[in-house]
Amino acid sequence: MERSVTSDSETRRRMIEAASRLFQACGYRGTSWRQLVRESGTPWGSIQHHFPGGKEELGIAAVEHGAGLLGQFLESCLVHASSPAEALRTWFAATTELLESQDFKYGCAVAAVALDIDESTSTLQSTCSKAFESWEGILARGLQNSGIPQPRAQALATTCVAGFEGSLLLSRARRSVDPMRQTAEALCELVEQAVGRSRSAR
Amino acid sequence: MERSVTSDSETRRRMIEAASRLFQACGYRGTSWRQLVRESGTPWGSIQHHFPGGKEELGIAAVEHGAGLLGQFLESCLVHASSPAEALRTWFAATTELLESQDFKYGCAVAAVALDIDESTSTLQSTCSKAFESWEGILARGLQNSGIPQPRAQALATTCVAGFEGSLLLSRARRSVDPMRQTAEALCELVEQAVGRSRSAR
Amino acid sequence: MERSVTSDSETRRRMIEAASRLFQACGYRGTSWRQLVRESGTPWGSIQHHFPGGKEELGIAAVEHGAGLLGQFLESCLVHASSPAEALRTWFAATTELLESQDFKYGCAVAAVALDIDESTSTLQSTCSKAFESWEGILARGLQNSGIPQPRAQALATTCVAGFEGSLLLSRARRSVDPMRQTAEALCELVEQAVGRSRSAR
Amino acid sequence: MERSVTSDSETRRRMIEAASRLFQACGYRGTSWRQLVRESGTPWGSIQHHFPGGKEELGIAAVEHGAGLLGQFLESCLVHASSPAEALRTWFAATTELLESQDFKYGCAVAAVALDIDESTSTLQSTCSKAFESWEGILARGLQNSGIPQPRAQALATTCVAGFEGSLLLSRARRSVDPMRQTAEALCELVEQAVGRSRSAR
DNA sequence: ACATACGGGACCTCCCGTTGCT
DNA sequence: AGCAACGGGAGGTCCCGTATGT
C-alpha cells in the first residue's frame, strides 16, 4: 500500500516509457491507449489502476520521465565537458545521431505534448513548462560555473533550450540534421563569447 | 474572374483562414472539421468539394497560407529596418505582443502541424519543411544584404528561425514572453557581431 | 427536342454502359456517381441532365441495357444452335470464359442490383424482375420451338435462368468455373430429356 | 463459463443474429451499424469490442451463423426424408413459406453478402464460398447415401444449391414463389432420375 | 493487479441531390 | 449541355472513461 505512493511497478514503468516514445513520434492526441498497450505489451486492465486520472495523468508522467532523462544527460554533458560550449556540442551531436539512426521518426516528447494540448489540460501544460525550466536551470548552473553572472546565464540557457527545440523541429521537418548542426554552432559561439567576456571582466 | 486562377472561392478562403487559426491553437489533430465549419460559417458539403484530398489537403493549404503571411511580414520587417538585428527585434516584438494580447492561445501553425503528423502524411510534412525554408531564405537574403557571406548567412537564418520557433514554444508553455525576449536579445547579439565582422573584413 | 425522348446521346450511353459494368463488379450501392464519371469520362454536370430521377433512374437504364444485351445473346445462341441444350451450353460457356478472363471481377448486373435494393426502390425492383422474365421468355420460346409444351417450357426456362444466376453466384464466390460447368451439364440433361419426351409423345 | 469458449457474449450473439437478418433484407452495404444497434438493442460502444476487425468481421460472423443454420436445416431434411428428392422438396417448400409470410423481404444472407463485396474484402468472400460449399457437402452426402457415385453427387449438389440461390433471387424479384416451385420440381426430377439410374446400375 | 465488457460520443470521409452560372 | 459549388446527412472507425468480475 504505502509503496504504491511512488507506484513504480514494472507495468507502470513500461507504460510510461512506451508513452514517452509514442508521444515523440505521434504527439499526445496521436497516441492512443490501444497503441500503448500493444507496443508496451502491458495489460488493458492496468490502465485504470495505474492512471486513474486518465490520459492526462499518463501524459504528465511521460513528460516528467522524458524531462528527467534529458536532464540527467545534460548534467553528465556538463560534468564531462571542459566548457559549456563543449557540453552543448555533445548534447546536440547526440541528438542528431539519434535523429538519423531513427530516421527522424522521434522528436521531443515535451514539445510534442506542449503543442498538442488545449485549455482543458492545464496541469499537463504546466508540467511541460516545468520540464523546459528544469533543463534551463541545469544549463544556467553550468554557465554560472563558468563565470557567467546569473541573469545572463539564465537568458543564455533559455536561448539554448529554445534553439534546441526549434532546430529539432526544423531538422525533423526537413529530414536533415543541418538545422541542428548550424544552430549548435551559433549557440556555441554565443556561449563562448559570453564566457570570454565574463573571464576578462573578472 | 481573376480570382478563379487559384480556385479560391470565398468559401475555400474562409476555410483556410479558419484552419490556420485553429491549427495555431489546437494543432492538426486537435482541429476537427466540425470546429472549422462552425467557426468559419462554411457549409459541411463544401469540404469535399474544396478539399477532395481530405484533411491533409486542408493542412497543406493552411500551412502554405500561414507561411506566406509570416513571410510577407518578415520581408516588410527587413525592408523597414536599418539592420537585420532591428528587423529581428521587430519580428519577435510583434509576436510577443500577439501572444500576450491573445492570452497565449495561439502559436505557430506550421510548428503545430509539423509536430502532429505521422509518417502517413509525408506531403504535409514536406509542406511544413518548405514553409520553414522560405522564412530562412528571406532572412538569409536580408543578412547577405548586410554583407554576411552566403553560407554564414544561411546558417544564421536557420538559427533565427529555430530560435523563434523554440522560444515561441517555451513562451506558450510558460505563459510568459520572457523566453522570446531573451532569445531575441541573444539572436540580435549574434547577428550584430556577424555583421560587424563582415564589415571589418571588407 | 423530339429526339431527346429516347435520350440516346453519346454521354448518356457511356454512362449507362459504365454503370452496367460497375454494377456487375460493385453492386448498386457500391457504385457511386464519382466512380461512374471517372470511369466513363463523362462530365459531372450531365448527371442531372440525363438522369433527373437520380440514381434509381440510372439503375433502371443500366439494368434494361444489360437485360437487352444478354437477351440478344440468348436469341443468337438459340438461332445458331441445333438444339436448346446446345444453346444452353454456348451460353454458359461464354459466361465462364468471361469470368475467367476477367478474374471473376464481374458478375450479373441484374442480380447484383436485385439483391442490393430496399423497399424504397420498387420501380428498380420490378425492372429487375422484367429483365429476368425477358430471358425466361426467350428461352421458353426456344424450348417450345423444340416441341416442349408451353407450361413445361416456361418452368424449364425459369429453372435455367435460376441455375444460371445461382451458379454464377457460386462460381464468383469460389473463383472457379466448376459450379457453372456442373450446373450447365445438369440443365442440359434436363432439357434434352424434356425434348426427347415431347418428341416421343408426338 | 462455458459460453466464453467462443467468446459469444449475449451482446455479440444479438449483434450477429440481427446482422444476419439485416443482410438478408438489405445486403451487406445496405446494413449500417446504426440499424444494427437500433434493431438489436445493443450498445454502440460494444461494436469495436466485439468486432475489432470492423464490419467485415461482423459479416464473417453473420455469414457463418447463417450458413450453420441452413446447414442444420438441410441435414434434418435429409434425415427425415425418405429420399433426397423429398428432402429437396421440404427445403424449398419451407423457404417459399417463409418468403410469402415475410412478404418477400428476406432472402439469403450469404448471397446478399457475396454479391455486395469488392476485392478489398477477400476474407469475407471466401467465407461465403465456404458457406456454399458446406451446403453442397451436406447435399452431396445425402445423394451418395442414396447410391449416387461421388463426382455425380457433388455436381448435382452444386446444381441444387445454384438452383436454390437463383430461384430465390428470381422469386424475390418477382414477388412470387413460382420460380422456386418450378425450380424445385425440375431439380427433384433430376435427382430422382439420378437415383433411379444408380439403383438400376447396381 | 488484471480482464472483459459497456457506453456514448466524435472523428474524417463520402455520398447523393440541387442550385445558379456559364 | 455542362459545371462549380452548395447542403445536409450518414457511413464506418476509433477513442476515452467506467463498471463489473475475477
Side-chain angles (χ1 to χ4, degrees), chain B residues 1 27 30-31 47 73 85 92-93 126 139 142 148 155 164 181 186 199 201:
Chain B
M1 310 296 141
T31 300
I47 292 177
F73 182 71
F92 275 71
S126 85
L139 284 176
I148 301 176
F164 175 79
R181 276 216 253 266
R199 198 164 282 156

Side-chain angles (χ1 to χ4, degrees), chain A residues 32 40 74 83 94 100 103 105 117 122 138-140 144 158 196:
Chain A
S32 71
S40 63
L74 274 181
S83 76
E100 281 190 316
D103 200 31
K105 256 182 65 184
I117 55 183
S122 60
I138 293 166
L139 284 175
Q144 282 181 271
T158 299

Side-chain angles (χ1 to χ4, degrees), chain B residues 55-115:
Chain B
K55 203 179 184 183
E56 184 169 3
E57 188 174 343
L58 171 70
I60 291 171
V63 165
E64 286 175 347
H65 172 78
L69 282 188
L70 182 49
Q72 284 174 14
F73 182 71
L74 273 182
E75 300 217 7
S76 85
C77 286
L78 286 164
V79 167
H80 293 93
S82 60
S83 76
E86 195 188 315
L88 227 64
R89 257 187 269 267
T90 313
W91 177 26
F92 275 71
T95 307
T96 55
E97 269 175 43
L98 267 177
L99 265 183
E100 282 191 314
S101 70
Q102 293 164 342
D103 201 30
F104 299 94
K105 256 182 67 182
Y106 300 97
C108 173
V110 185
V113 171
L115 271 183

Side-chain angles (χ1 to χ4, degrees), chain B residues 10-31:
Chain B
E10 174 68 11
T11 298
R12 182 181 158 93
R13 200 182 50 70
R14 287 233 304 279
M15 283 185 162
I16 291 173
E17 282 173 6
S20 193
R21 220 175 323 126
L22 287 167
F23 287 165
Q24 283 176 40
C26 315
Y28 180 67
R29 280 193 180 81
T31 300

Side-chain angles (χ1 to χ4, degrees), chain B:
Chain B
M1 310 296 141
E2 192 175 354
R3 66 197 167 90
S4 87
V5 170
T6 52
S7 144
D8 45 6
S9 77
E10 174 68 11
T11 298
R12 182 181 158 93
R13 200 182 50 70
R14 287 233 304 279
M15 283 185 162
I16 291 173
E17 282 173 6
S20 193
R21 220 175 323 126
L22 287 167
F23 287 165
Q24 283 176 40
C26 315
Y28 180 67
R29 280 193 180 81
T31 300
S32 71
W33 287 110
R34 200 176 302 273
Q35 270 177 290
L36 191 132
V37 299
R38 186 177 35 201
E39 295 227 355
S40 63
T42 46
W44 259 104
S46 304
I47 292 177
Q48 172 136 358
H49 182 69
H50 291 295
F51 302 97
K55 203 179 184 183
E56 184 169 3
E57 188 174 343
L58 171 70
I60 291 171
V63 165
E64 286 175 347
H65 172 78
L69 282 188
L70 182 49
Q72 284 174 14
F73 182 71
L74 273 182
E75 300 217 7
S76 85
C77 286
L78 286 164
V79 167
H80 293 93
S82 60
S83 76
E86 195 188 315
L88 227 64
R89 257 187 269 267
T90 313
W91 177 26
F92 275 71
T95 307
T96 55
E97 269 175 43
L98 267 177
L99 265 183
E100 282 191 314
S101 70
Q102 293 164 342
D103 201 30
F104 299 94
K105 256 182 67 182
Y106 300 97
C108 173
V110 185
V113 171
L115 271 183
D116 199 3
I117 55 185
D118 53 355
E119 54 248 8
S120 73
T121 56
S122 62
T123 313
L124 186 46
Q125 189 178 5
S126 85
T127 305
C128 292
S129 175
K130 272 180 221 137
F132 291 135
E133 284 171 30
S134 76
W135 299 339
E136 294 175 33
I138 292 166
L139 284 176
R141 271 193 297 281
L143 294 168
Q144 282 181 271
N145 288 344
S146 294
I148 301 176
Q150 213 286 323
R152 175 78 178 147
Q154 178 61 42
L156 270 180
T158 298
T159 304
C160 288
V161 173
F164 175 79
E165 291 292 350
S167 64
L168 179 48
L169 180 63
L170 263 55
S171 278
R172 280 235 292 163
R174 195 168 306 165
R175 298 180 62 80
S176 149
V177 293
D178 290 346
M180 286 208 83
R181 276 216 253 266
Q182 294 168 341
T183 304
E185 271 322 295
L187 292 175
C188 284
E189 192 179 315
L190 206 56
V191 166
E192 275 164 355
Q193 281 176 3
V195 170
R197 231 171 317 170
S198 66
R199 198 164 282 156
S200 64
R202 212 179 301 163

Side-chain angles (χ1 to χ4, degrees), chain C residues 11 43-46 49-50:
Chain C
T11 297
W44 261 106
S46 306
H49 185 72
H50 291 297

